[in-house]
Amino acid sequence: MEFSFSSLPLYIASFLLFFLVKQILKPKSGKKLPPGPRTLPIIGNLHQLMGPLPHRTLKNLSDKHGPLMHLKLGERSAIIVSDARLAKIVLHNNGLAVADRSVNTVASIMTYNSLGVTFAQYGDYLTKLRQIYTLELLSQKKVRSFYNCFEDELDTFVKSIKSSNGQPMVLYEVASTYLYATICRTIFGSVCKEREKMIKIVKRTSLLSGTPLRLEDLFPSMSVFCRFSKTLNQLRGLLDEMDHILEDIIVDREKNTEILKEGKDDEDMLSVLLRHKWHNPSGAKFRIANADIKAIIFELILAATLSVADVTEWAMVEIIRDPKSLKKVHEEVRQVCKDKGKVTGYDVEKLDYLRLCLKESTRIHPAAPLLVPRECREDFQVDGFTVPKGAWVLTNCWAVQMDPEVWPEPEKFDPERYIRKPMDFYGNSFELIPFGTGRRGCPGILYGVTNAEMMLAAMLYHFDWEIADGKKAEEIDMTEDFGAGCIMKYPLKLIPHIVNE
């Protein structure tokens, strides 16, 4: 959290006085809240969440207080869900009650005040956006229409690795470059002339937003003191830069009257969005505007690069650390792709064992271990306890996916567990929800997973891999770090050796 005070003693004194008075005057609630650790005056349980890995800290607290737990975070109440049974009750059975998002200050700035599908509040606008996403932007048919684009960029990806043959490379950086290229191509239909500038904005935004919970989110009544935060002003500046770039692209594209015609199967995402702006083909009560389009594009770029790069890095390191899995996935990829001499989108659809490896990696290392927080729209009951209106609802999907009652040897990377017990990771099995579930589940799962699978397949088809610095597989440092998501604290460095030219 960032504290931006110019006269710290005065603000602290005002802060303490304000909340002491508020505590005295606050009426007692008769609601039976879930159990939780004791709170301190004013800060509640914040002192217990100061560790670097909140998903692990929350799991330790839940082990003591139960899988449905109440915490007081400053002025805010938070309900923590940490097992599959309760995840189903809260996110599915009471899905409408928790269909709103908890929008923090950083997210509000980055999404044009909660436009876009991730942080929009539940209602007609969100329904329209999800319909556009699932039927036109990110459907299976649409993702397959992008295969040629993915394959073109994958060729560049492979060439860049080949140029490092025998030399150490940072996997995350190479993966990110491929992902930036593919998302820009699929959004804009061609190489965007401002792509490099956009990439710099996205990277800088990621660094600044790495700690999303700030003082004004935890103590809304004190937000006036944080109005001139340096970090928030920097984020606003970055958004302004991105806004100008996207506005120019939209205005230029709208000069082409082809966007007013009926959509084609191979049209890019921007054309889809502009068609909805001009034609409103879904018949919704309102049409999307330029601000909506810009918010959607920015969130697509962020989600399709940062989280997918994390997923790919974790999957690669787990495969390399497990000789059995590495041998099997090598054999599968090289058998399926040998006739074409490269990886194609339709070949990737046949790579069943690779998909099991990716599924198992996202179980152990979900990109967003606490998912995206929701906000309760109305009181409801769970196991005799009240989840109160206005509370944040955080699902610790990492804790759910590491439950030893469901997952024998949960810390072990074992892709074949899904052969013994089939389970998907698209939100239908509440024991495995790395991308969320229900009304607020991630609509871009297929797009992201396809890109991760294509990168992994290409790396394992064309190259054998050696760990840099002479380390053995078991010596790779698996320490986690928590920023915009859960990442490797020490990026994976590998040495490629060309196998298939």
Side-chain angles (χ1 to χ4, degrees), residues 304-472:
T305 52
L306 304 178
S307 59
V308 179
D310 295 337
V311 165
T312 304
E313 184 178 40
W314 281 119
M316 190 66 173
V317 72
E318 287 289 7
I319 291 170
I320 287 174
R321 279 163 42 92
D322 183 41
K324 179 182 176 183
S325 295
L326 181 61
K327 182 175 184 293
K328 284 196 170 188
V329 78
H330 262 152
E331 291 173 351
E332 179 184 63
V333 171
R334 291 171 183 178
Q335 176 63 33
V336 169
C337 300
K338 67 178 181 180
D339 291 338
K340 296 186 181 71
K342 66 175 188 176
V343 173
T344 69
Y346 286 103
D347 285 334
V348 166
E349 292 183 10
K350 303 172 187 175
L351 300 177
D352 296 331
Y353 195 81
L354 176 67
R355 189 162 295 112
L356 296 183
C357 291
L358 186 64
K359 187 184 297 186
E360 177 70 342
S361 175
T362 59
R363 179 188 69 81
I364 301 172
H365 309 286
L370 300 177
L371 301 182
V372 182
R374 305 192 188 195
E375 187 164 307
C376 190
R377 305 169 77 222
E378 61 189 28
D379 289 1
F380 65 92
Q381 299 294 309
V382 178
D383 289 356
F385 298 107
T386 299
V387 177
K389 179 180 178 180
W392 287 338
V393 178
L394 283 77
T395 304
N396 191 345
C397 80
W398 178 80
V400 171
Q401 295 170 180
M402 299 298 285
D403 184 350
E405 296 294 322
V406 178
W407 305 97
E409 298 183 272
E411 300 280 351
K412 181 181 179 182
F413 180 75
D414 179 16
E416 295 182 19
R417 67 171 82 236
Y418 305 102
I419 298 174
R420 300 187 294 270
K421 184 180 180 181
M423 190 179 297
D424 74 47
F425 60 175
Y426 295 105
N428 299 309
S429 303
F430 290 90
E431 299 87 353
L432 187 64
I433 49 173
F435 306 106
T437 183
R439 287 176 170 85
R440 302 311 297 245
C442 174
I445 299 174
L446 185 60
Y447 183 98
V449 166
T450 299
N451 261 320
E453 289 172 348
M454 291 191 76
M455 279 191 290
L456 289 167
M459 288 188 288
L460 293 164
Y461 175 77
H462 290 283
F463 306 97
D464 285 335
W465 295 91
E466 176 187 351
I467 302 160
D469 303 323
K471 292 182 180 178
K472 297 179 181 178

Side-chain angles (χ1 to χ4, degrees), residues 480-498:
E480 299 170 334
D481 200 5
F482 201 90
C486 190
I487 62 177
M488 290 188 71
K489 186 171 184 177
Y490 305 102
L492 181 62
K493 293 182 180 180
L494 298 173
I495 300 172
H497 298 284
I498 300 173

